[in-house]
Amino acid sequence: MARPATPPTAPKQPPAQPLTPEQIRRIEENRLRAKALRSQHQSTGSSTTATNPLKRAHSALTTASDDRTLRDARQTPSANASDAPKKPYDEILPARKFTKYIDYDFSKMADTKGGFLTAEDDPHNKALHSKRPGEEDKPAHMTLQEWERHQLLKKLRERRAGPFEPGMNALKGAGEEQPKCRDCGSLEIDWQWDSVFECRVCNACKEKQPEKYTLLTKTEAREDYLLTDPELKDTELLPRLEKPNPHKATWNNMQLYLRYQVEEYALSEKKWGSGEKLDEEFERREKEKKRRKEERWKEKLTELKKRTRVDAYKRGRGAGGGGGEFGDKVRRRGEGHEHEWGREVMNSEGMTVKRCNECGMEVEELSF
């Protein structure tokens, strides 16, 4: 058998010649001609199939109005896309999955410790509609930034600070004096204290003398200086400064009094007269409070003893109500009852009956 020989190698083909400009022109003309024939064939085919009731044209499927997929369902596009009106960017609505987005105004919300709720969510909830005295709602024509700026300017106007702080006038006459600090004579006084407490003092003196220019709450003035509520409510007697409650915004405003004004009234002849008399009254009230506390404790102890004696007496008595005499058996709690039967008696029906001497239980017996 002859050994197979390796086939001869194929002859090398000459390299392809590049296309001439004439060939490229013919190829491009043939491509455009075929493209025109295909578009003509598609247009004639769509017109013939439109008359067929069993089929719909592709153009009818693509140009059909479907409000579920349109971004703006207010305007239905025409059959020809080129005839549709051009909408500006500000009229383009978001996609359907973003239409449930709501922009909440946190200034109208209340933190219920279980979520943020608005008055529209629960119109019958009084806690959401409760407002502090003097609080205003944001007008509809204002944005949130404008409303915040308006509130800031209102606070500065009330405190007479910032751009509303009165300036120093150098054109006053000789008889008129500039408002000065009552301690150091500085012209930079706290205008809010001047309008509320009628006390002209600068911030430096307030920091240097805290025992004189600190603010007291209503509770401190009532407990430390033994002032009554009618006295604290009289603004002509004791002026006060109201601020929002730091513990909770929905609570009543915090009422602050100036220490030296409270001390002047409390130690004057109108109230206690001196600091020694104030201390004596404080000690007397503490002793009276302690005495009342001890009396209440003794009353509760006496009542407890009475209840204990009654319970012990009831436990010692028999279940049938008889007992309580000397020599009676005292039954402990949880101890079972043992019947003590008396002598047998014949009843009217001829049955033998015996009765427990302690609880009164009767049992019929038959004797043979």
Side-chain angles (χ1 to χ4, degrees), residues 166-181:
M168 294 179 291
N169 189 2
L171 301 178
K172 288 188 177 182
E176 300 179 1
E177 295 182 359
Q178 294 283 356
K180 297 181 181 180
C181 177

Side-chain angles (χ1 to χ4, degrees), residues 223-289:
E223 295 180 355
D224 296 346
Y225 296 93
L226 306 181
L227 300 180
T228 60
D229 288 339
E231 293 173 345
L232 295 173
K233 290 180 180 179
D234 191 356
T235 55
E236 296 181 358
L237 182 63
L238 293 174
R240 63 175 180 265
L241 175 65
E242 293 188 1
K243 287 186 177 181
N245 199 308
H247 301 287
K248 199 170 184 180
T250 56
W251 291 356
N252 293 331
N253 291 336
M254 183 172 55
Q255 299 178 4
L256 302 175
Y257 300 87
L258 198 55
R259 180 182 291 273
Y260 87 90
Q261 293 180 353
V262 175
E263 288 182 354
E264 286 180 357
Y265 173 73
L267 303 181
S268 64
E269 296 297 334
K270 297 180 181 179
K271 188 62 179 174
W272 303 116
S274 62
E276 291 77 9
K277 294 183 180 180
L278 176 61
D279 295 338
E280 292 176 2
E281 179 66 19
F282 184 80
E283 292 177 1
R284 187 189 66 81
R285 294 189 181 187
E286 288 295 325
K287 291 180 181 179
E288 184 68 20
K289 187 187 301 182

